[in-house]
Amino acid sequence: MREISLYNTLTKKIELFVPNEEGKVKMYTCGPTVYHFAHIGNLRSYIMEDVLEKAFRYAGYDVKRVMNITDVGHLSSDADSGEDKMLMGAKREHKSVMEIAAFYRNAFFDDCRKLNIKTPDVVEPATNCIPEFIEMISKLIDKGYAYEAGGNVYFDTGKLENYYVLSNQNEEELMVGAREDVEEDVNKKNKTDFVLWFTKSKFDDQELKWESPWGTGYPGWHIECSAISIKHLGEKLDIHCGGIDNVFPHHTNEIAQSETYLGHKWCNYWFHILHLNDNSGKMSKSKGDFLTVSLLESKGYNPLVYRMFCLQSHYRKPLVFSYDVLDNVKAAYDKLIKKIASLGRDGELEQDKMEVFRTAFAESLGSDINTSQALTVVYDVLKADLNDASKRALLEEFDCVLSLDLTKEVEAGEVDADLAAYVEEMIEKRKAARREKDFARADAIRDELLQKGVEIKDTREGTTWSILS
Ligand code: AMP
Ligand code: ZN
């Protein structure tokens, strides 16, 4: 087993990872709210969690990873106000909530497949676990940590000495960030109390409702992750992941519920990924044409170029998306793949020499998942005094974590299907521009293609294109 040290949001320190059970990792990831496509910011979190899981496996651990699918209960404000996001999606598209959930769940896993993100061992939609939520809430009421008011059931944060154990901020600060558009909920005993079960939904048309001891209603968002984690990973969780916005209130509330329910400490390590923002600031799904994997594909980018874009930065640094940077990464990626494809296959593996690079790669990952350093080891291998077979074998091994298709066979002359579709589309646009005598636009399209390494030629048979070597 190789060592892995990680920054732990709970202790605010980089710590050596020591699981509860030797050699085994119990890992939980907050899954997507399936009311819309994931934006590439959401997917930054899933890419880095994927790398974390694979880094554990590379280090020799046996990992069980569980992820929920939020298909009920997540309101438009994380602080229990606004409208259920699933209902917003259903209204937007004139479909039922379950149709929306199925469609966007599939879309999410399509994106993951394109980004080489492994599907977790267990994926559990919240709507599958209503009995588990009811059981957990009942016990919280019995233990005196939850109360009914105005028809809803709330968690009583006033009963906890250390409610802010994870976020460690003062109350004022937290209120500013998380509760902008909140009307005061007069049922709450304390401002930070949160809903475990809604029965007095503000919306008559709330589509998904279940019977409960407290009336017909639906669960709050936070209870999902606590109950699903405990259901599949038991009472002691090793590591819990999510984007940085989940620290408060979501993960703070998960700790409050889980630990009062279990009566002991629940999760030892908390792993949070900083946000990806665009030039205009925070990523949003309400801004119309937001950044998705499909949008990048329609512009001719292989989704793995975006994965490499993410791996070049540390997960604990905020990242700003720009097409200029993505173009640079694309050029670097294409060059790297070409270089690897040109490696020969003959020769005995030089195991002793290879071990040095394995160690360097594992140490990079073990240093709080330093993915940019791990990528540097890839380049070091290519420059090293090793035969081609050894280089190829090492890169194949590293790709179990990086998942950039570094050594995937590409037939001679085969071109990425997404790039081909993009080039064809651009050629059609150029034709249209020429028909309209907009030669400036036609030239701009030709130059844009050239920048992406594609040369077009106008022949008597029509426009042809080739990839520049
Ligand atoms: P959601 O589908 O809204 O529940 O979010 C799914 C995941 O994406 C959660 O772990 C969020 O913390 C994370 N997330 C949301 N916005 C961003 C962003 N801009 N960059 C990185 N991760 C994000
Ligand atoms: Zn969660």
Side-chain angles (χ1 to χ4, degrees):
M1 208 80 57
R2 295 185 191 258
E3 288 188 348
I4 294 198
S5 294
L6 297 170
Y7 180 83
N8 186 355
T9 314
L10 193 60
T11 56
K12 317 271 176 293
K13 282 196 291 239
I14 294 185
E15 293 176 332
L16 182 66
F17 177 80
V18 183
N20 284 296
E21 210 181 316
E22 208 186 321
K24 299 213 159 122
V25 181
K26 294 183 174 182
M27 177 173 174
Y28 186 84
T29 305
C30 289
T33 309
V34 284
Y35 72 112
H36 215 324
F37 292 108
H39 57 51
I40 60 171
N42 298 129
L43 291 160
R44 177 189 193 194
S45 286
Y46 294 106
I47 289 170
M48 301 319 290
E49 288 160 358
D50 181 63
V51 171
L52 174 68
E53 174 187 345
K54 289 171 178 171
F56 278 131
R57 293 187 194 275
Y58 189 80
Y61 287 98
D62 180 10
V63 184
K64 181 172 178 190
R65 179 161 169 214
V66 176
M67 183 175 82
N68 68 307
I69 298 283
T70 299
D71 51 4
V72 67
H74 192 175
L75 304 195
S76 54
S77 153
D78 283 356
D80 300 335
S81 69
E83 196 171 356
D84 185 322
K85 289 189 179 185
M86 294 305 300
L87 207 59
M88 280 162 59
K91 278 188 191 160
R92 185 184 66 234
E93 296 182 24
H94 308 289
K95 291 194 181 127
S96 73
V97 165
M98 286 330 265
E99 280 167 345
I100 290 288
F103 179 83
Y104 287 111
R105 180 188 165 150
N106 287 339
F108 173 75
F109 285 112
D110 278 351
D111 287 346
C112 288
R113 192 176 36 73
K114 289 174 185 169
L115 291 163
N116 283 346
I117 296 171
K118 177 185 167 293
T119 304
D121 303 291
V122 177
V123 175
E124 180 88 276
T127 47
N128 270 3
C129 299
I130 303 299
E132 284 86 349
F133 305 151
I134 291 178
E135 190 274 329
M136 197 163 174
I137 297 166
S138 304
K139 191 155 165 193
L140 290 173
I141 295 176
D142 291 349
K143 285 187 155 192
Y145 287 104
Y147 59 93
E148 279 186 78
N152 296 326
V153 182
Y154 295 86
F155 187 93
D156 188 350
T157 56
K159 289 267 162 67
L160 300 182
E161 301 247 311
N162 207 359
Y163 172 60
Y164 295 114
V165 61
L166 186 64
S167 37
N168 200 20
Q169 297 172 49
N170 74 46
E171 207 158 311
E172 301 282 292
E173 271 170 9
L174 292 169
M175 292 303 148
V176 176
R179 315 225 155 185
E180 286 155 2
D181 56 340
V182 183
E183 325 113 44
E184 196 78 34
D185 181 342
V186 291
N187 297 316
K188 292 187 182 182
K189 289 189 196 168
N190 311 284
K191 264 194 199 164
T192 45
D193 290 357
F194 54 92
V195 177
L196 297 166
W197 187 267
F198 291 94
T199 47
K200 279 272 153 48
S201 164
K202 282 185 233 141
F203 314 103
D204 303 334
D205 55 353
Q206 180 68 24
E207 213 178 289
L208 299 180
K209 298 181 245 209
W210 294 265
E211 291 308 312
S212 83
W214 320 286
T216 309
Y218 60 101
W221 171 40
H222 315 298
I223 197 77
E224 281 180 22
C225 290
S226 290
I228 292 174
S229 172
I230 292 168
K231 176 177 174 184
H232 293 288
L233 295 167
E235 293 197 0
K236 290 200 168 156
L237 182 62
D238 292 307
I239 186 158
H240 194 310
C241 320
I244 192 74
D245 57 305
N246 285 161
V247 172
F248 185 86
H250 187 47
H251 291 167
T252 299
N253 292 349
E254 279 188 47
I255 293 176
Q257 306 158 148
S258 299
E259 298 197 347
T260 46
Y261 170 80
L262 295 168
H264 58 72
K265 186 169 180 191
W266 173 47
C267 176
N268 290 332
Y269 299 88
W270 290 82
F271 181 89
H272 291 106
I273 300 104
L274 269 288
H275 275 188
L276 174 92
N277 297 315
D278 59 23
N279 289 329
S280 65
K282 198 170 176 284
M283 292 248 166
S284 152
K285 296 187 187 181
S286 51
K287 280 190 204 158
D289 207 8
F290 60 89
L291 280 162
T292 59
V293 166
S294 312
L295 183 71
L296 295 186
E297 282 184 301
S298 75
K299 290 181 183 288
Y301 296 99
N302 176 344
L304 294 182
V305 169
Y306 176 63
R307 184 172 174 112
M308 180 144 153
F309 174 97
C310 292
L311 299 191
Q312 285 189 345
S313 297
H314 195 254
Y315 75 91
R316 278 197 298 118
K317 293 212 173 98
L319 189 55
V320 176
F321 178 79
S322 83
Y323 283 108
D324 284 347
V325 178
L326 196 67
D327 282 335
N328 290 338
V329 179
K330 180 183 165 10
Y333 180 76
D334 290 346
K335 205 167 153 194
L336 179 63
I337 298 297
K338 237 185 222 169
K339 175 92 191 139
I340 296 170
S342 71
L343 291 174
R345 284 159 199 284
D346 300 335
E348 293 270 306
L349 294 187
E350 300 165 294
Q351 291 293 356
D352 285 352
K353 285 204 229 163
M354 286 165 74
E355 201 50 32
V356 177
F357 295 96
R358 284 194 185 107
T359 304
F361 185 72
E363 280 178 1
S364 309
L365 296 170
S367 311
D368 196 21
I369 313 296
N370 191 335
T371 45
S372 66
Q373 201 176 304
L375 280 173
T376 307
V377 181
V378 167
Y379 288 98
D380 290 344
V381 165
L382 286 169
K383 284 185 284 191
D385 173 28
L386 280 169
N387 65 28
D388 280 6
S390 304
K391 289 183 182 177
R392 191 178 275 279
L394 275 173
L395 297 178
E396 214 157 70
E397 247 179 73
F398 297 169
D399 208 40
C400 295
V401 180
L402 303 174
S403 302
L404 292 169
D405 286 355
L406 294 179
T407 55
K408 199 173 154 187
E409 296 295 320
V410 180
E411 294 293 315
E414 188 188 319
V415 178
D416 186 283
D418 301 321
L419 178 65
Y422 166 74
V423 174
E424 294 298 341
E425 190 186 320
M426 294 307 273
I427 287 177
E428 283 310 309
K429 284 190 178 154
R430 181 167 168 269
K431 261 194 219 157
R434 288 170 66 134
R435 266 198 308 274
E436 288 159 22
K437 306 231 177 315
D438 186 352
F439 297 112
R441 165 112 184 97
D443 287 350
I445 292 174
R446 192 197 52 213
D447 291 347
E448 191 180 325
L449 286 170
L450 208 53
Q451 258 192 357
K452 292 201 155 77
V454 177
E455 187 180 35
I456 54 177
K457 285 205 176 102
D458 296 311
T459 69
R460 249 195 262 179
E461 286 73 39
T463 305
T464 62
W465 60 275
S466 57
I467 306 278
L468 291 171
S469 53

